[in-house]
Amino acid sequence: MKPFTYERVTDPRAAGMAVARTGAKFISGGTNLLDLMKLEIEQPTHLVDISRLPLKQVEDLPDGGLRIGAQAANSDVAADSRVRARYPALAEALLAGASGQLRNKASIGGNLLQRTRCPYFYDTAAACNQRTPGAGCAALRGFNRIHAIVGASDACIATHPSDMAVAMSALGAQIDLLEPDQSTRRVAIDDLYCVPGSTPHIESVLRFGELITAVILPPPPPGCQRYRKVRDRASYEFALISVAVIIATDRGTITKARVAFGGVAHKPWRSIDAEAALKGQPATLATYQAAADAAMSNAVGRGHNDFKIELAKRTLCRTLADTVQVGIGRPS
């Protein structure tokens, strides 16, 4: 690990000024950044500790939604009674991530901005456009079992590792941002991440020195919610495929549906095609299979990860069926 200086801030207004110096970077829980620093993938010369910022509250909003501070710990949000009651898919997703110790330390804002776990990104001897622009992508012809099947490009097939972000995508979350000049803006979570294209090193729309201050959850959508994660082992493992589903029916007909995948793309992948295939259709296996086919209609395997296309379809079908079975009969 290369030498660096350290500064702790307790005021969001001071955070932007502190990180304005060359080579500075925010650190919160550090559950991803410290690993990257040890490998010299990240080499900040100055760390600005934002973990003491007063951004840890979970607050009710007048419209029935929630405002979750960016410095709230993953474990605290998962255990919040309002999250568990109104947004069970989010609670399930948070509890599916990492270990109890890491969830106690990791922050909501940091979870959104964690970097890919592609092994070629972590191997500084391998070519990686996300780590070194223009270097190439070793994963294209390498062992790409965990890699992207939708939304990728020939420059990068890495996936985003967050479980939480998948549920937030299905819920239609908004992200509050604070710029160094103290101006604010809000972006939808689906607009937070950039497509890899020819510039996979540009991973999000955050500007230099911009700070995530909160996640805004809209009022809970009607229907039932479920998050399912398929992985190689039962705990402390990233998703091969994950699915967040929100679905409502009326007398056996699907009236509303939201579907988001994890482990398939550079970002949580909201499937509008699957949602369109579900809406207005009977809640049957044939409908679920049609939605799964629509969701993966543009999927591309790269060899070792070809199986993920069928796995994504089966995971969606199973999750939809289970959600219906446990109480889908709420009128929209």
Side-chain angles (χ1 to χ4, degrees), residues 28-50:
S28 182
T31 57
N32 186 208
L33 178 60
L34 291 178
D35 287 340
L36 294 171
M37 290 174 64
K38 291 173 183 177
L39 294 170
E40 296 188 3
I41 295 169
E42 294 273 12
Q43 300 182 32
T45 57
H46 183 64
L47 289 182
V48 180
D49 186 346
I50 56 175

Side-chain angles (χ1 to χ4, degrees), residues 2 8 15 22 26 37 66-67 111 130 159 163 183 190 207 218 226 230 241 268 270 308 319 331:
K2 293 185 178 295
R8 180 182 294 169
T22 302
F26 290 130
M37 290 174 64
L66 283 181
R67 183 182 189 274
N111 187 302
Q130 195 170 120
T159 57
D163 291 289
S183 62
D190 291 335
R207 300 161 185 162
R226 186 76 192 272
V230 179
I241 297 291
R270 178 85 177 267
K308 291 180 72 172
T319 307

Side-chain angles (χ1 to χ4, degrees), residues 30 44 46 107 171 235 324:
H46 183 64
S107 68
L171 290 165
S235 66
V324 169

Side-chain angles (χ1 to χ4, degrees), residues 223-242:
C224 291
Q225 306 174 20
R226 186 76 192 272
Y227 180 79
R228 182 185 296 276
K229 181 177 183 177
V230 179
R231 46 190 165 178
D232 284 325
R233 57 186 181 187
S235 66
Y236 200 57
E237 185 65 272
F238 296 101
L240 288 171
I241 297 291
S242 63

Side-chain angles (χ1 to χ4, degrees), residues 100-185:
Q101 294 93 330
L102 287 174
R103 291 194 296 269
N104 287 340
K105 189 65 176 173
S107 68
I108 294 297
N111 187 302
L112 291 171
L113 296 180
Q114 60 183 305
R115 304 194 71 182
T116 182
R117 278 5 185 241
C118 171
Y120 298 103
F121 172 76
Y122 275 76
D123 180 1
T124 55
C128 175
N129 287 318
Q130 195 170 120
R131 187 185 66 247
T132 308
C137 177
L140 284 172
R141 294 178 176 82
F143 185 62
N144 47 38
R145 180 174 179 270
I146 68 170
H147 288 75
I149 53 176
V150 292
S153 71
D154 287 340
C156 184
I157 57 173
T159 57
H160 194 270
S162 175
D163 291 289
M164 179 195 76
V166 180
M168 286 187 173
S169 176
L171 290 165
Q174 302 277 323
I175 313 301
D176 277 354
L177 304 172
L178 176 67
E179 300 196 49
D181 64 3
Q182 307 310 304
S183 62
T184 61
R185 64 183 180 127

Side-chain angles (χ1 to χ4, degrees), residues 149-152 269 273 293-301 309:
I149 53 176
V150 292
W269 192 258
D273 291 336
D293 289 339
M296 293 293 116
S297 60
N298 294 317
V300 176
I309 299 174

